[in-house]
Amino acid sequence: MNNVTVFILSGLSQNKSIEILCFVLFLFCYIAIWVGNLLIMISITCMTPKLMTDLLAERKTISYSNCMTQLFTTHLFGGIEVFILTGMAYDRYVAICKPLHYTVIMSRQRCHAIVTACCTGALIHSASQSLLTVFLPFCGPNEIDHYFCDVYPLLKLACTDTYRIGLLVIVNSGLIALMTFVILMVSYFLILYTIRAYPAESRTKALSTCSSHVTVVVLFFVPILFIYIRPATTFPEDKVFALFYTIIAPMFNPLIYTLRNMEMKNAMRKMWCHNLFLEGK
């Protein structure tokens, strides 16, 4: 039985001027995210984030069910991002270190298997993370010191001992993120070790291919490790660090997934030129 049916979010800041400033800043970030992903959707074949609405709202509330749904979806898509970045690192490793075998190793069936494994792993992670939280009793208070529903702020509000659950969260989130980050860094170390004997032009091309990916990996994983690798405690800085993997890193996704890909850029250029030519007629 839960006495709490609604949670109150403290928001990103208690200062209204800062919240309005953040709204304007994040509005441009969300526009960049939206436009970039819209280009991808159009080339290959409306969302109002709660953070945006809360920045302008006087009272920031979210229902219990919506809070649990937000927790599940946040970790689901975050898990997919983590595992996709790992799959992309493997793809870059094969392309640079074993270029002659690339088409054989990274076949269409292998790519489908990697995507399926990423989604399955993220679903297992998100489901287990949600199950650790959904059965907790919340008797009050009901104010979450964050701008979205996450595990540690919810554990802080639960009216029961959450020490063991906190350890499970570290294993389920922190250690997975740490192992994935180590695997990513090892893959790029192997890439750097391999290209040291390449000609300067080939090294530049290889580094250009990986640089944007490494940037997003750092922006995404460092804040996650700061938040989830420690015991179940919360700090005011968590909100700022969370911005990196909820807003900043996703804004770069169109760049690393398609806009740095020459084949994708050529396909987009041909499509837009073809449309302009038809409109000119």
Side-chain angles (χ1 to χ4, degrees):
M1 296 294 295
N2 287 326
N3 296 332
V4 174
T5 58
V6 173
F7 293 104
I8 300 174
L9 300 173
S10 65
L12 192 60
S13 173
Q14 301 299 317
N15 189 310
K16 196 63 182 179
S17 299
I18 294 178
E19 288 195 319
I20 293 175
L21 178 64
C22 289
F23 173 82
V24 175
L25 176 62
F26 298 154
L27 178 62
F28 286 105
C29 293
Y30 276 113
I31 289 174
I33 296 171
W34 185 81
V35 171
N37 286 283
L38 180 63
L39 286 174
I40 297 173
M41 293 170 63
I42 294 175
S43 303
I44 297 177
T45 5
C46 265
M47 180 180 74
T48 306
K50 185 160 180 60
L51 170 60
M52 301 299 294
T53 58
D54 284 348
L55 286 173
L56 298 180
E58 290 294 333
R59 183 176 173 85
K60 308 167 182 63
T61 61
I62 184 171
S63 67
Y64 177 86
S65 58
N66 286 344
C67 183
M68 295 301 115
T69 301
Q70 187 182 63
L71 174 67
F72 176 81
T73 54
T74 299
H75 282 271
L76 174 64
F77 294 122
I80 291 175
E81 176 85 358
V82 166
F83 296 128
I84 285 290
L85 287 172
T86 308
M88 290 180 65
Y90 177 69
D91 175 80
R92 294 301 87 202
Y93 167 76
V94 175
I96 295 173
C97 299
K98 300 181 180 180
L100 299 179
H101 303 282
Y102 178 80
T103 54
V104 176
I105 297 175
M106 296 302 297
S107 62
R108 185 174 295 274
Q109 292 77 11
R110 178 67 60 82
C111 291
H112 289 166
I114 291 175
V115 172
T116 302
C118 291
C119 294
T120 303
L123 181 62
I124 295 173
H125 159 73
S126 181
S128 57
Q129 195 84 312
S130 299
L131 288 174
L132 291 174
T133 311
V134 73
F135 294 112
L136 290 175
F138 296 99
C139 313
N142 63 337
E143 183 172 349
I144 300 175
D145 188 20
H146 216 304
Y147 60 88
F148 70 96
C149 291
D150 203 4
V151 180
Y152 282 167
L154 287 172
L155 292 182
K156 189 177 180 180
L157 297 182
C159 49
T160 186
D161 183 16
T162 59
Y163 176 76
R164 293 182 179 179
I165 295 178
L167 294 179
L168 294 176
V169 171
I170 294 175
V171 174
N172 189 32
S173 294
L175 291 184
I176 289 177
L178 179 62
M179 289 188 295
T180 306
F181 184 71
V182 170
I183 292 172
L184 288 169
M185 291 299 100
V186 169
S187 69
Y188 284 110
F189 174 79
L190 293 176
I191 290 174
L192 292 175
Y193 181 80
T194 301
I195 65 175
R196 63 189 177 88
Y198 285 14
E201 183 178 352
S202 299
R203 287 201 305 269
T204 302
K205 184 178 180 180
L207 291 174
S208 176
T209 303
C210 300
S211 59
S212 56
H213 187 218
V214 173
T215 300
V216 173
V217 166
V218 173
L219 288 175
F220 193 78
F221 275 91
V222 171
I224 288 178
L225 292 174
F226 174 81
I227 292 175
Y228 291 108
I229 202 64
R230 65 171 189 254
T233 55
T234 59
F235 298 114
E237 295 82 7
D238 290 351
K239 300 178 185 180
V240 178
F241 278 93
L243 290 174
F244 283 92
Y245 60 82
T246 57
I247 293 180
I248 306 301
M251 186 173 63
F252 287 99
N253 281 345
L255 175 67
I256 66 168
Y257 290 141
T258 57
L259 300 183
R260 289 294 295 271
N261 185 296
M262 187 58 66
E263 292 181 359
M264 188 64 183
K265 286 192 290 187
N266 291 335
M268 292 174 64
R269 190 178 297 112
K270 290 179 181 179
M271 183 193 69
W272 291 112
C273 290
H274 179 69
N275 290 341
L276 292 174
F277 176 76
L278 292 179
E279 291 177 1
K281 287 186 173 181

